[in-house]
């Protein structure tokens, strides 16, 4: 009987986690939340003819930071990045933590032409040039940023495709230290 209770309890916890839309560490939305918001934004784009941009932000040296400072301070670094991102974006932009060391930023805009890497210079500098405060003192990070922009011409497209394209650009963003852009055009 106890085994069965434990099994059901574990099953319930797994279900709750799966349905959760919030990252427990940072309080931001998680990957599921990002996918839902992106799907809604794509539908909105289709109806309004607006555009969308999605930034994927990754910590290039996440493993080294974790090794050097330990789990507790690494968690502080992730929370500090989350706060910094929220300070650097517009109130309606969606900021999520989508994996262990990656964040996503989603926004609807009137026109994709305005979505160039230079538009996000302040964000890039805010993460890469300003150290984060932790219990171990100030810690500098290297954040790679990829930028995918699209307008209704690129529809139909799945939210997963947009996120995968952005993820594929991150290694280049890490190696160049620049924001790596991609403008999605009509589906082939």
């Amino acid at each position: 009987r106890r085994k069965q209770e434990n099994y059901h309890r574990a099953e319930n916890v797994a279900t709750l986690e799966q349905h959760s839309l919030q990252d427990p560490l940072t309080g931001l939305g998680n990957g599921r939340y990002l996918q839902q918001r992106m799907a809604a934004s794509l539908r909105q784009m289709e109806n309004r003819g607006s555009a969308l941009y999605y930034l994927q932000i990754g910590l290039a040296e996440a493993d080294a930071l974790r090794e050097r400072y330990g789990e507790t301070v690494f968690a502080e670094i992730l929370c500090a990045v989350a706060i910094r991102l929220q300070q650097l974006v517009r109130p309606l932009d969606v900021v999520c933590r989508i994996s262990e060391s990656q964040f996503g930023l989603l926004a609807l805009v009137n026109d994709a032409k305005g979505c160039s890497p230079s538009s996000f210079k302040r964000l890039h500098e805010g993460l890469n040039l300003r150290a984060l405060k932790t219990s171990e003192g100030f810690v500098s990070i290297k954040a790679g940023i990829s930028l995918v922009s699209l307008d209704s011409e690129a529809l139909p497209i799945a939210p997963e495709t947009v996120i995968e394209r952005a993820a594929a650009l991150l290694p280049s963003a890490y190696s160049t230290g620049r924001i790596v852009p991609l403008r999605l055009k009509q589906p082939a």
Side-chain angles (χ1 to χ4, degrees):
R1 179 158 167 71
R2 176 163 275 169
K3 259 187 182 171
Q4 199 174 10
E5 283 176 13
N6 285 344
Y7 173 78
H8 286 300
R9 197 170 291 132
E11 210 173 39
N12 289 342
V13 167
T15 304
L16 285 172
E17 282 175 359
Q18 201 174 12
H19 292 298
S20 168
L21 297 173
Q22 191 175 38
D23 172 51
L25 178 67
T26 61
L28 296 175
N30 61 17
R32 282 190 68 233
Y33 180 71
L34 175 66
Q35 293 224 343
Q36 286 184 5
R37 290 301 304 265
M38 181 141 349
S41 297
L42 290 168
R43 285 192 299 276
Q44 208 174 338
M45 257 174 64
E46 201 168 11
N47 300 334
R48 288 204 187 137
S50 54
L52 168 154
Y53 66 79
Y54 171 66
L55 297 175
Q56 195 150 322
I57 300 133
L59 303 185
E61 300 163 346
D63 293 340
L65 289 168
R66 180 186 280 114
E67 205 171 288
R68 179 171 176 195
Y69 295 105
E71 287 299 327
T72 307
V73 174
F74 185 67
E76 290 177 35
I77 292 169
L78 293 171
C79 290
V81 169
I83 291 166
R84 180 80 44 91
L85 284 171
Q86 289 176 300
Q87 291 169 339
L88 291 168
V89 301
R90 304 171 314 172
L92 292 177
D93 293 353
V94 177
V95 181
C96 300
R97 179 174 170 226
I98 55 172
S99 74
E100 184 58 34
S101 60
Q102 292 186 3
F103 296 83
L105 168 60
L106 173 67
L108 281 171
V109 288
N110 292 331
D111 186 5
K113 287 180 184 72
C115 295
S116 71
S118 61
S119 313
F120 302 100
K121 183 177 187 225
R122 202 174 63 112
L123 183 76
H124 190 271
E125 290 177 350
L127 291 172
N128 288 293
L129 300 181
R130 286 180 46 214
L132 303 168
K133 192 172 178 14
T134 71
S135 57
E136 291 286 310
F138 286 92
V139 175
S140 292
I141 61 165
K142 281 195 176 127
I145 303 176
S146 60
L147 163 64
V148 173
S149 58
L150 58 143
D151 57 25
S152 53
E153 276 179 20
L155 299 175
I157 192 166
E160 300 79 25
T161 306
V162 177
I163 296 166
E164 286 163 11
R165 292 288 181 79
L169 297 172
L170 271 182
S172 177
Y174 292 153
S175 64
T176 62
R178 296 170 187 246
I179 298 173
V180 178
L182 172 68
R183 176 114 152 77
L184 293 179
K185 300 287 189 189
Q186 281 175 303

